[in-house]
Amino acid sequence: MSPFFSPTRKKVIFFDMNNTILDRRQCFDSAFLEVMQDFTARWDTEDTKLTSQEALNSYKAEWSRHRKSPIRSPISPDELRHICLIKALHPLPMQVSTAFTRTFFHQIEEKEDHFVALFPGVEDTLEALSRNYKLAIISNGNRNRLQRNLEKMKLTSWFDQDRLFTTENDGPRKPHPAIFEGALKSMSTAAGQSVMVGNSWRNDVVGAASTGMDAVWIHPANIKKISERRIGKQKVIIVRSFKQLIYTF
């Protein structure tokens, strides 16, 4: 099968970071379980009629229910985390206040970096792609945290600080065109010479297409291993996993 993109037409590949290169969901799950165990260890086992895994499953189910609602909710992410945590911890003998929720998720964030992991095939794929393309990152994540993750996972040989583009000082976030345009300018490349790779249809694919970039959507639930769509004039390739990018470029 011929690749969908070639180095004669494309020069730069931009990647999302969380849940594209880093398996952030697994990091969150592991950190949530550990924080839950820390909190419940103080209670008598007869009082804790909820396991850490059950609490995590309940939290994720409630989060998914809100996110999949056809009506876009005005609730902020912080408010939604609080609502979902109340639901998840309802069986426990405790009051889930907003202060408790802040503390709980602050501890999760501190622990997440201990569990950071790459998706299968990331290193081999990046090495292969770097032979023909410049690689860079466009992320809504915290820059300092992303830099720590890149160093820990030994990815800095492909992504140095000058190739990491994040939201600064409450600036534009994906899918706003400005963050993509800023990255294109810094990399001295045109939109037509660049491709965005990410797991979010709205943030990564639609955001990139709005600036004239083609995109690759990593969508594990896709029926076909690799398929193609269009957003206006822009090409969108859909793959199931990161390592399938080898067959895309």
Side-chain angles (χ1 to χ4, degrees):
M1 180 176 65
S2 300
F4 293 89
F5 302 109
S6 70
T8 58
R9 294 180 177 271
K10 302 297 182 183
K11 306 300 180 185
V12 180
I13 306 175
F14 292 99
F15 296 88
D16 174 50
M17 185 73 159
N18 293 326
N19 295 317
T20 296
I21 291 176
L22 296 181
D23 189 352
R24 184 61 70 185
R25 293 188 184 92
Q26 182 57 52
C27 298
F28 175 84
D29 289 359
S30 298
F32 186 104
L33 292 173
E34 188 164 301
V35 171
M36 269 296 299
Q37 290 165 2
D38 290 344
F39 274 103
T40 57
R42 68 194 69 179
W43 296 317
D44 188 285
T45 54
E46 293 183 359
D47 294 331
T48 56
K49 300 177 182 179
L50 180 75
T51 68
S52 297
Q53 187 63 55
E54 288 170 339
L56 174 62
N57 293 344
S58 177
Y59 176 87
K60 291 170 69 175
E62 187 70 7
W63 179 274
S64 180
R65 185 178 71 81
H66 281 273
R67 285 300 195 185
K68 290 181 179 179
S69 172
I71 302 175
R72 191 159 184 84
S73 174
I75 300 173
S76 71
D78 285 343
E79 291 172 318
L80 182 54
R81 278 192 286 268
H82 182 56
I83 291 169
C84 294
L85 192 62
I86 290 174
K87 177 74 172 180
L89 303 187
H90 175 69
L92 296 178
M94 62 178 298
Q95 179 75 28
V96 181
S97 64
T98 54
F100 176 89
T101 298
R102 284 196 300 270
T103 299
F104 190 88
F105 284 100
H106 177 70
Q107 292 191 21
I108 286 177
E109 186 172 327
E110 287 186 332
K111 290 180 181 293
E112 273 188 298
D113 285 350
H114 298 300
F115 298 104
V116 66
L118 302 175
F119 282 106
V122 164
E123 293 167 301
D124 291 342
T125 303
L126 292 177
E127 177 59 32
L129 296 179
S130 69
R131 296 169 193 153
N132 297 309
Y133 302 91
K134 292 181 180 179
L135 309 183
I137 288 172
I138 302 176
S139 174
N140 285 343
N142 176 272
R143 184 180 183 86
N144 290 334
R145 187 182 189 191
L146 292 177
Q147 286 178 330
R148 291 197 305 270
N149 292 163
L150 288 171
E151 291 168 3
K152 180 173 182 178
M153 303 313 298
K154 297 180 172 57
L155 300 179
T156 51
S157 59
W158 297 297
F159 305 110
D160 61 27
Q161 294 187 20
D162 293 335
R163 295 187 181 186
L164 177 58
F165 304 100
T166 62
T167 300
E168 296 290 344
N169 300 321
D170 297 321
R173 296 169 58 84
K174 294 183 298 183
H176 196 288
I179 191 169
F180 295 98
E181 292 166 353
L184 291 169
K185 183 177 180 180
S186 294
M187 292 295 293
S188 301
T189 186
Q193 296 177 311
S194 308
V195 181
M196 179 70 199
V197 177
N199 72 298
S200 170
W201 177 263
R202 177 175 178 267
N203 288 345
D204 301 315
V205 177
V206 175
S210 71
T211 66
M213 295 170 61
D214 291 328
V216 179
W217 185 30
I218 300 180
H219 182 48
N222 196 41
I223 297 174
K224 297 181 179 180
K225 287 185 178 180
I226 300 179
S227 58
E228 181 177 349
R229 290 175 63 177
R230 291 269 175 180
I231 298 180
K233 296 180 179 180
Q234 304 314 127
K235 180 187 295 186
V236 179
I237 307 303
I238 308 172
V239 300
R240 290 180 183 170
S241 66
F242 194 94
K243 56 189 176 183
Q244 286 179 308
L245 296 176
I246 290 289
Y247 308 107
T248 305
F249 293 92

